[in-house]
Amino acid sequence: MPLYEGLGSGTEKTAVVIDLGEAYTKCGFAGETGPRCIIRSEIRRPGDSKPIKVVQYNINTEELYSYLKEFIHMLYFRHVLVNPRDRRVVVVESVLSPSHFRETLTKVLFKYFEVPSVLFAPSHLMALLTLGINSAMVLDSGYAESLVLPIYEGIPILNCWGALPLGGKAIHKELESQLLEQCTVDTGTAKGQSLPSVMGSVPEDIIEEIKVRTCFISDLQRGLRIQAAKFNIDGSAERPLPPPDVDYPLDGEKILHVKGSIRDSVVEILFEQDNEENSVATLILDSLVQCPIDTRKQLAENLVVIGGSAMLPGFQHRLMAEIRYLVEKPKYKAALATKTFRIHTPPAKPNYVAWLGGAIFGALQDILGSRSISKEYYNQTGRIPDWCCLNNPPLEIIFDAGKAPPPLMKRAFSTEK
């Protein structure tokens, strides 16, 4: 139960805040400084050896409904331990979340768990609430992708967004291929065996732990030398001295030898420019060039970096160095007059900054009351207004003039009878 909930007599119970990420889900209560749980966004079913990912966009609605129903049941009754009928819900979502996923999630919450109301909040906008600013360029580097979205005076500039499939998933794929190709394993019977001969594929949780415990991002000069050695065509580039090798215990008998050259080269995938000269750093600069010219200076001086992949050691330092390096190139020098870039430090770890913003937003009872979609409204209309639509159509357009409009959620502290 949230702190001090029993003290205020007659006040409304605090909302449940859910940030449903592709790899991890953060869940807790509005008004608190951190989530109650951060768990993998997956469910396990008897008979299945592999866990099933909950956030999937390319499956049919019935399957998605059953996965979400099982997962949210686990959130409510194993982790936050509250009755879903008693509390409003704030869902922190990505701006790229498909409509069918949002609609299925809303159906699960209203039809199965019968929550009183749901409020969808964009994760990039929520990140700004933690800092108390209203204009920033927000980069969310998560599991599936890195997504940048400029926000000016509290309004997301939707036509200037940019995304690349560079995130935790891309790093895991690269790391697994390099481990299987280069690393050896010591077992109880023999030493120096190749990894594919011991195990065909490496489980993702082991890959993630190796990434978190051993990998890091080099500074700009070292990174450029690593990239030059990787794409060495004429054989002249020399790789910088690698960090020490690491022994990683797979279980009681097997020990994996992780080469030092893997530790610093695998995360370079985020900053290597592809055939179209795209990387995480160019994502920010390209988005900035698309923004209206009078907003660019303010956005460049207010960069906010969130997401799990941003927690890699050296990420923000390298990102700033890359931006300062690229902004001097002809492509950006003419378009961007500003040379000043600053990164904010949010009051939380990057992986749950958006959740914390949702917890602050959900604690504002007046806003929560007036912007939420109530169960009655959903039951009568069967639709959920999009958060980015600033002027939702008036209710008299949607309904016959003779019928009474469905009740929207009243403000929490309204004077209306």
Side-chain angles (χ1 to χ4, degrees):
M1 186 181 291
L3 221 51
Y4 310 127
E5 184 174 270
L7 297 180
S9 57
T11 57
E12 192 175 343
K13 290 183 177 178
T14 51
V16 173
V17 182
I18 301 171
D19 181 359
L20 204 60
E22 192 150 337
Y24 285 91
T25 291
K26 285 69 72 177
C27 186
F29 296 104
E32 295 195 346
T33 55
R36 289 297 178 95
C37 64
I38 299 178
I39 59 169
R40 286 184 177 275
S41 302
E42 59 191 31
I43 54 172
R44 291 184 177 274
R45 288 191 164 169
D48 289 338
S49 57
K50 284 189 174 181
I52 301 166
K53 286 195 175 291
V54 172
V55 182
Q56 294 187 51
Y57 301 141
N58 56 351
I59 59 172
N60 63 50
T61 309
E62 290 77 18
E63 268 185 286
L64 183 61
Y65 183 88
S66 71
Y67 295 163
L68 286 170
K69 185 172 74 174
E70 196 172 323
F71 183 70
I72 292 171
H73 187 277
M74 182 174 72
L75 281 182
Y76 271 114
F77 299 109
R78 191 181 296 175
H79 295 284
V80 293
L81 304 174
V82 292
N83 183 353
R85 294 184 184 186
D86 291 347
R87 295 169 189 272
R88 303 174 188 235
V89 177
V90 176
V91 178
V92 180
E93 61 159 6
S94 165
V95 292
L96 294 186
S97 182
S99 297
H100 96 98
F101 183 83
R102 303 172 81 241
E103 285 160 6
T104 309
L105 178 59
T106 313
K107 188 178 176 184
V108 168
L109 289 168
F110 279 133
K111 298 291 188 184
Y112 189 80
F113 292 100
E114 299 183 1
V115 299
S117 74
V118 173
L119 170 64
F120 282 97
S123 58
H124 290 70
L125 195 56
M126 292 301 101
L128 296 199
L129 283 183
T130 64
L131 291 160
I133 57 177
N134 55 12
S135 299
M137 177 74 72
V138 186
L139 169 69
D140 184 355
S141 187
Y143 176 74
E145 71 226 337
S146 290
L147 171 64
V148 70
L149 181 69
I151 294 169
Y152 191 74
E153 297 296 339
I155 306 294
I157 310 176
L158 287 170
N159 60 326
C160 299
W161 69 278
L164 283 174
L166 297 174
K169 197 174 187 177
I171 296 171
H172 292 179
K173 191 177 176 184
E174 178 77 5
L175 180 56
E176 183 178 20
S177 70
Q178 291 201 26
L179 289 174
L180 290 169
E181 194 178 307
Q182 300 179 31
C183 292
T184 58
V185 179
D186 291 349
T187 62
T189 54
K191 292 194 173 184
Q193 297 184 64
S194 67
L195 183 57
S197 65
V198 177
M199 50 201 306
S201 64
V202 190
E204 190 169 21
D205 55 340
I206 290 177
I207 292 174
E208 185 173 4
E209 189 153 324
I210 291 171
K211 176 191 78 173
V212 169
R213 290 183 182 275
T214 68
C215 296
F216 62 93
I217 298 174
S218 307
D219 61 25
L220 178 63
Q221 298 308 319
R222 181 185 165 86
L224 291 174
R225 285 167 63 199
I226 290 171
Q227 289 176 31
K230 182 178 177 182
F231 302 109
N232 194 3
I233 298 165
D234 56 357
S236 59
E238 189 180 335
R239 195 196 187 284
L241 200 66
D245 296 357
V246 170
D247 291 345
Y248 178 82
L250 291 172
D251 56 28
E253 292 181 346
K254 304 186 193 79
I255 294 177
L256 175 66
H257 299 294
V258 181
K259 287 194 172 182
S261 58
I262 293 176
R263 293 176 57 198
D264 61 354
S265 65
V266 75
V267 285
E268 287 298 318
I269 195 169
L270 298 177
F271 298 101
E272 287 169 5
Q273 294 196 6
D274 59 14
N275 294 337
E276 296 176 352
E277 296 189 345
N278 286 334
S279 70
V280 171
T282 63
L283 206 57
I284 290 176
L285 293 172
D286 290 339
S287 178
L288 207 54
V289 168
Q290 291 175 46
C291 290
I293 196 165
D294 56 332
T295 66
R296 290 177 193 169
K297 185 175 186 294
Q298 191 173 352
L299 292 173
E301 291 176 359
N302 292 280
L303 301 178
V304 179
V305 180
I306 63 173
S309 296
M311 296 176 75
L312 283 163
F315 183 90
Q316 292 197 5
H317 181 270
R318 175 67 180 276
L319 181 66
M320 286 302 289
E322 288 273 348
I323 288 172
R324 290 188 178 121
Y325 171 71
L326 289 168
V327 83
E328 296 298 332
K329 292 198 169 183
K331 181 181 177 184
Y332 300 110
K333 198 166 186 177
L336 293 173
T338 181
K339 298 289 182 288
T340 310
F341 292 87
R342 294 194 187 96
I343 291 187
H344 283 274
T345 306
K349 288 183 179 176
N351 63 332
Y352 69 90
V353 169
W355 180 92
L356 182 60
I360 293 168
F361 200 62
L364 305 171
Q365 293 283 358
D366 199 33
I367 286 178
L368 188 66
S370 59
R371 294 199 183 190
S372 296
I373 308 153
S374 70
K375 187 167 65 176
E376 294 82 8
Y377 177 83
Y378 178 78
N379 287 341
Q380 289 195 28
T381 63
R383 66 184 277 274
I384 42 170
D386 198 352
W387 61 266
C388 63
C389 185
L390 298 175
N391 49 352
N392 283 324
L395 294 174
E396 55 263 31
I397 293 176
I398 305 170
F399 300 97
D400 299 338
K403 290 184 181 177
L408 281 167
M409 184 64 73
K410 286 187 179 180
R411 293 174 183 266
F413 302 116
S414 174
T415 53
E416 297 172 33
K417 299 291 185 201

